[in-house]
Amino acid sequence: MTTTVPATKRKQRTLSLRDRAVRFAEMITTPLLPADYLDIISPLRSGADLRGRIEAIHPETRDAVTVVIRPGRGWRGHTPGQYIRIGVDVDGVRQWRAYSMTSPGDRPDGCITITVKAIPDGTVSNFLVRRARAGTVIQLDQATGDFVLGEQPPAKVLFVTAGSGITPAMGMLREVVQAAGAVPDIVMVHSAPTPQDVIFAGELRMLARQGQLRLIERYTDAEGLLDIATIGDVVEDWAEREVWACGPTGLLDAAEAHWTEAGIADRLHTERFRPTVLVTGEGGSVTFSKTETTTEADGSTPLLDAGEAAGVLMPSGCRMGICFGCVAPLREGAVRDLRTGDVTTAVPGDGVLVQTCISAAAGTCDIEL
Amino acid sequence: MTATINDPTAHLTTEDIETLGRELDAIREQIVASRGERDAAYIRKVIDAQRKLELASRAVLLFSLFPPAWLVGTAGLSVAKILENMEIGHNIMHGQWDWMRDEKIHSTTWEWDLVSPSEQWKHSHNQLHHTYTNVIGKDNDLGYGIMRVDENQKWYPLYLGQPLWNFVNACFFEYGIAAYDLELGKNLQKRRRQDPDFRARAKRVGEKIRAQVTKDYVVHPLLSGPSALTTLTANFTANVVRNLWTHSVIMCGHFPEGVATFERRSIVGETRGQWYLRQMLGSANISGSPLLHLMTGNLSYQIEHHLFPDLPSNRYAEIAPKVQELFERYQLPYVSGPLPKQVASAWKKIIKLSLPNGFFDKASEAAKPANLLKLIPGLASAEPKQPVRTAA
Ligand SMILES: Cc1cc2nc3c(=O)[nH]c(=O)nc-3n(C[C@H](O)[C@H](O)[C@H](O)COP(=O)(O)OP(=O)(O)OC[C@H]3O[C@@H](n4cnc5c(N)ncnc54)[C@H](O)[C@@H]3O)c2cc1C
Ligand code: FES
């Protein structure tokens, strides 16, 4: 980029003028920030922390709903397949969870949607499915994730999904069918317990009837779990397709094994909703040194959950080990990676960075938060 | 554990004290288990109302040249500052709302509208005062290190001035708190003044004072244009009103007659039950209406607050009858009274202890009308037959 000198100067001056205005506003509101007062009037304004308002909640199946959210002015848009984090207050406690976006990139009304399936005893999913009301303001984060079709969707696509794992695929599907130009050749293999449990069933079956999609539904209550090794029986050209798979751990692990065996692992893209916990062990006493809080945690509770339960403000992201949004220094002690069982130890002065969402105490430990 | 005067716990066995502790733990558990949406809505509502009140009052003060505007604006701003410091700031910094995990309403992020930086106040208040409640020489809240608060403290002529110090401290209480959080008395000695940690903290206090003073005495007056001077006096008045109010409320928490103080050695090896007991005996409540409780930041439930400093303040009213029942059952004195009575009682103690032991009683005895009459010859027979008891 080239700019003429005067323009740069002018830019700097307006910038510093703006800075000065901000600083002056801060002098008026200290010790609070101007935003603290503006939030009372307009929580979704530009420049505010990103929030959204629930505009509507549509039932999908008996235990799944689609939540329509109007994001605040700071929303930077998303690519279908990506996920967002939302922070909702359940029983007065702020809970952050990740949800895949099910809306295409540009809904005319500017809203975005997520689709949530209630899981037994799930705090946030049950709240959203059964108790949340339109009008509620929730916290949002910008969309993120690389489970996307890419600039140029491939000519042949295969979605392998199960249960709520349909959500990111639905976002992508909606995007490609509404886009101008050639629609790729898409096959979807979707598993659900019964026909009634298929989220988006009506829309999917209609797309199939219109010839935009080849839909293969598998009802696991009657037919049993899909054996991914036999995918070739239903999708003959599976090996020629670029694949996006999302569902329970068992399905994804099997898919990875199958595609690796076929030597085409690079064609397979997977999205996991929760980490695979492999090993747990003895817990210990966890100290969050900056907050001066100490709590007892067992060997299977992630440090993230333990800290939150103790009232510590824990940074977090996907809560399953992929985004590194939860990383904090381990000052001293030992923690265990729940996915691998690897134990990380630190002595004072080390400050080893650990992911709190997939690490549990392995004895006494001190986290610098 | 022994309280220094007339041990009110003499009738309790060690076992009693531990049972009492377990009963209090049960009350705590009950509240923790039922914290929820209603409580979260409460604190958000108070914060929302406080901010609107502050904005509105400051807006009215833009026209403070007109006396009615000055009056309304000053009153509103005083109330807003009191709410911010007491029901909101003090309680948030105690971690009463940390369970909500809202980073905007969290003990680690809140900065209050007072010259003392939150970080330093939290240390001196939460860690020192709440741990060493009413332990002479350990709890600096007892007389802020400059006053005589117990008969067992040696009297010096300097203490004659303590009613005056106390009044000055009340007017400029926020600066008193800042100085006391810095432990200024101790740290101003030459050697300690150089301590980098002290200097960093002092710098932080300096910055906070500058920001607060600039806001109230420069920026807002300037914004008021022709009303600059009157806005300045309004803001000054609001700060002083807030100072006097908070000082009075806080004095009522530990100073009134009937509240016990403790010796340093009495807390060595203290158990949880004994700690609870010290909090029970070392605090006093203020009785009154819901509005009074709100304006004191529920520190009117000082006893409940000291037992459970991190439970949400809106729940103290519900805990109080249960705690009171424990006091009765364990035959302990639950000190409580209306605000004017408790303030008077605290002041009386401060005046009394500014004099050598016994002096106050003698003087007030002599000042009784009946005794004054004695001084008049020929009227000696007017002396009452009953011995006069002074209110102790
Ligand atoms: C990138 C990403 C995208 C996601 N997209 C979606 C989506 O589009 N739709 C959707 O419904 N969910 C999605 N999730 C899962 C979602 O974030 C939550 O984990 C889920 O809603 C459960 O949260 P909860 O608070 O209800 O359960 P919690 O209260 O956190 O958990 C309750 C119990 O359920 C178990 N559990 C947690 N998660 C699952 C799970 N996924 N399946 C089975 N048991 C579980 C826990 O171990 C615990 O025992 C996504 C997760 C990630 C990481
Ligand atoms: S929260 Fe994403 S890696 Fe831990």
Side-chain angles (χ1 to χ4, degrees):
Chain A
M1 191 181 76
T2 51
T3 34
T4 55
V5 179
T8 322
K9 261 197 179 158
R10 196 159 53 233
K11 199 171 162 201
Q12 267 176 4
R13 211 178 50 224
T14 49
L15 249 183
S16 72
L17 252 178
R18 191 175 175 276
D19 281 354
R20 246 180 284 166
V22 168
R23 208 158 305 150
F24 184 68
E26 284 171 0
M27 283 163 81
I28 297 178
T29 60
T30 186
L32 297 182
L33 295 172
D36 292 322
Y37 291 98
L38 294 173
D39 282 351
I40 301 176
I41 306 154
S42 171
L44 301 187
R45 71 182 195 286
S46 73
D49 290 349
L50 190 59
R51 301 186 183 89
R53 182 185 289 112
I54 298 181
E55 296 276 304
I57 299 175
H58 304 304
E60 295 286 354
T61 64
R62 63 197 158 105
D63 58 1
V65 297
T66 289
V67 184
V68 183
I69 302 164
R70 175 171 305 286
R73 294 285 188 81
W75 175 245
R76 291 202 292 265
H78 77 287
T79 308
Q82 287 189 312
Y83 66 91
I84 47 166
R85 291 197 322 127
I86 65 168
V88 294
D89 294 334
V90 183
D91 295 330
V93 182
R94 174 98 15 114
Q95 308 275 2
W96 285 91
R97 295 289 185 274
Y99 290 99
S100 303
M101 323 229 353
T102 48
S103 48
D106 53 344
R107 259 174 74 119
D109 62 359
C111 288
I112 54 176
T113 66
I114 57 172
T115 303
V116 182
K117 182 175 182 320
I119 60 165
D121 298 327
T123 309
V124 174
S125 59
N126 280 287
F127 173 81
L128 290 172
V129 171
R130 309 189 201 288
R131 285 163 57 199
R133 293 284 166 266
T136 310
V137 171
I138 61 175
Q139 315 296 312
L140 284 188
D141 232 4
Q142 299 293 349
T144 171
D146 46 17
F147 190 68
V148 295
L149 285 175
E151 288 283 297
Q152 200 62 53
K156 288 180 127 191
V157 175
L158 170 60
F159 292 123
V160 179
T161 58
S164 61
I166 184 120
T167 51
M170 194 64 194
M172 295 187 233
L173 187 60
R174 282 173 169 164
E175 177 84 4
V176 289
V177 298
Q178 74 166 36
V183 175
D185 163 8
I186 306 172
V187 178
M188 175 179 273
V189 180
H190 179 66
S191 301
T194 68
Q196 292 73 40
D197 289 313
V198 176
I199 305 175
F200 311 122
E203 190 174 342
L204 289 172
R205 289 166 199 162
M206 192 179 75
L207 286 173
R209 273 200 305 278
Q210 292 170 351
Q212 310 224 48
L213 164 76
R214 197 179 140 221
L215 176 67
I216 300 156
E217 293 180 58
R218 167 123 187 160
Y219 309 124
T220 52
D221 274 1
E223 304 167 73
L225 290 182
L226 174 76
D227 177 6
I228 204 81
T230 63
I231 187 103
D233 298 350
V234 283
V235 187
E236 298 76 18
D237 58 354
W238 65 278
E240 293 163 27
R241 292 178 176 270
E242 197 78 11
V243 189
W244 279 267
C246 181
T249 305
L251 176 75
L252 298 182
D253 289 349
E256 274 167 2
H258 190 56
W259 263 261
T260 305
E261 207 173 295
I264 44 172
D266 57 329
R267 296 250 166 104
L268 177 70
H269 312 266
T270 56
E271 179 84 318
R272 289 168 192 269
F273 285 179
R274 56 189 309 218
T276 327
V277 171
L278 190 74
V279 201
T280 60
E282 290 273 300
S285 145
V286 188
T287 300
F288 297 92
S289 36
K290 278 200 202 153
T291 336
E292 297 175 8
T293 304
T294 299
T295 184
E296 290 301 317
D298 63 30
S300 59
T301 305
L303 296 170
L304 176 58
D305 292 346
E308 285 183 340
V312 180
L313 280 182
M314 305 286 294
S316 73
C318 62
R319 309 182 77 93
M320 56 155 298
I322 50 172
C323 76
F324 290 82
C326 62
V327 166
L330 170 69
R331 273 172 42 152
E332 193 176 355
V335 301
R336 179 179 291 105
D337 188 322
L338 291 166
R339 300 166 303 182
T340 59
D342 293 346
V343 172
T344 304
T345 54
V347 293
D350 278 5
V352 188
L353 294 179
V354 295
Q355 288 165 279
T356 59
C357 70
I358 43 86
S359 303
T364 307
C365 55
D366 182 334
I367 304 290
E368 200 173 336
L369 275 177
Chain B
M1 183 182 76
T2 48
T4 47
I5 327 160
N6 283 341
D7 187 357
T9 66
H11 61 290
L12 298 178
T13 65
T14 319
E15 187 45 43
D16 287 341
I17 296 173
E18 293 321 302
T19 316
L20 170 67
R22 281 191 293 275
E23 294 199 54
L24 285 163
D25 278 340
I27 295 179
R28 179 193 170 76
E29 286 312 310
Q30 219 178 358
I31 298 292
V32 168
S34 64
R35 277 184 313 210
E37 208 171 317
R38 219 164 33 98
D39 305 289
Y42 170 80
I43 190 66
R44 292 215 169 91
K45 197 173 90 187
V46 176
I47 292 172
D48 186 71
Q50 187 275 336
R51 288 185 183 163
K52 285 175 182 159
L53 177 63
E54 186 187 346
L55 281 180
S57 307
R58 298 237 189 232
V60 169
L61 286 176
L62 296 176
F63 310 97
S64 56
L65 204 51
F66 305 104
W70 188 93
L71 219 64
V72 170
T74 307
L77 188 59
S78 305
V79 172
K81 280 182 179 264
I82 288 170
L83 280 177
E84 199 283 338
N85 289 173
M86 308 288 271
E87 181 66 340
I88 302 173
H90 170 270
N91 292 339
I92 290 177
M93 285 193 275
H94 260 293
Q96 293 184 3
W97 303 99
D98 284 6
W99 58 274
M100 288 165 57
R101 301 186 204 158
D102 181 341
E103 78 278 1
K104 296 253 154 73
I105 309 180
H106 199 272
S107 63
T108 54
T109 60
W110 194 268
E111 191 59 62
W112 61 352
D113 184 12
L114 204 73
V115 294
S116 172
S118 294
E119 205 44 56
Q120 296 181 22
W121 179 82
K122 274 187 291 188
H123 172 74
S124 61
H125 184 80
N126 293 0
Q127 274 143 25
L128 302 181
H129 168 57
H130 274 271
T131 315
Y132 299 116
T133 311
N134 281 26
V135 176
I136 294 167
K138 279 263 185 188
D139 177 7
N140 287 333
D141 266 35
L142 270 184
Y144 308 102
I146 52 169
M147 297 204 299
R148 183 165 177 257
V149 290
D150 190 276
E151 294 195 343
N152 293 344
Q153 250 174 302
K154 196 167 176 313
W155 180 85
Y156 297 103
L158 199 66
Y159 286 127
L160 283 172
Q162 86 176 15
L164 182 66
W165 313 149
N166 197 45
F167 181 70
V168 174
N169 187 27
C171 293
F172 300 97
F173 194 37
E174 59 173 328
Y175 293 92
I177 295 176
Y180 143 73
D181 292 345
L182 275 175
E183 297 183 272
L184 217 49
K186 191 169 86 188
N187 282 323
L188 277 187
Q189 294 160 10
K190 205 160 182 199
R191 196 167 40 85
R192 292 196 187 238
R193 244 181 353 217
Q194 304 305 326
D195 176 27
D197 173 56
F198 169 69
R199 303 191 82 163
R201 289 191 298 135
K203 182 159 171 268
R204 187 60 204 98
V205 174
E207 287 163 1
K208 183 96 195 265
I209 292 178
R210 177 148 21 94
Q212 289 289 100
V213 167
T214 310
K215 170 183 66 167
D216 278 339
Y217 303 133
V218 181
V219 178
H220 282 278
L222 281 181
L223 287 174
S224 308
S227 298
L229 209 61
T230 44
T231 295
L232 189 144
T233 61
N235 292 352
F236 179 77
T237 309
N239 278 329
V240 170
V241 168
R242 182 269 322 274
N243 288 344
L244 287 171
W245 175 260
T246 50
H247 182 270
S248 299
V249 169
I250 286 159
M251 230 178 27
C252 290
H254 302 291
F255 272 37
E257 296 287 327
V259 174
T261 49
F262 307 88
E263 282 171 10
R264 254 173 209 257
R265 62 182 153 73
S266 70
I267 62 159
V268 178
E270 198 178 48
T271 64
R272 180 146 180 84
Q274 289 168 333
W275 181 85
Y276 270 136
L277 192 54
R278 180 157 54 84
Q279 306 301 326
M280 292 169 86
L281 298 172
S283 316
N285 281 6
I286 308 169
S287 54
S289 65
L291 181 66
L292 176 105
H293 295 307
L294 174 68
M295 292 305 290
T296 63
N298 280 296
L299 288 184
S300 44
Y301 293 110
Q302 186 76 227
I303 298 172
E304 289 74 16
H305 172 60
H306 262 268
L307 289 170
F308 312 114
D310 58 352
L311 291 187
S313 58
N314 62 323
R315 302 298 281 277
Y316 288 147
E318 159 191 347
I319 299 172
K322 297 180 191 163
V323 169
Q324 215 168 339
E325 189 269 328
L326 284 180
F327 270 84
E328 269 162 36
R329 198 143 41 79
Y330 286 84
Q331 295 171 15
L332 297 165
Y334 189 83
V335 183
S336 179
L339 186 71
K341 175 168 166 256
Q342 298 302 83
V343 172
S345 173
W347 271 103
K348 184 175 154 199
K349 183 168 176 181
I350 282 162
I351 294 167
K352 186 171 157 182
L353 291 171
S354 72
L355 302 165
N357 289 349
F359 207 87
F360 183 85
D361 289 346
K362 258 184 258 158
S364 55
E365 179 83 358
K368 284 228 174 324
N371 294 342
L372 287 175
L373 288 179
K374 263 199 306 195
L375 300 176
I376 305 169
L379 278 178
S381 57
E383 191 185 344
K385 294 276 173 313
Q386 299 279 319
V388 183
R389 267 184 58 127
T390 51

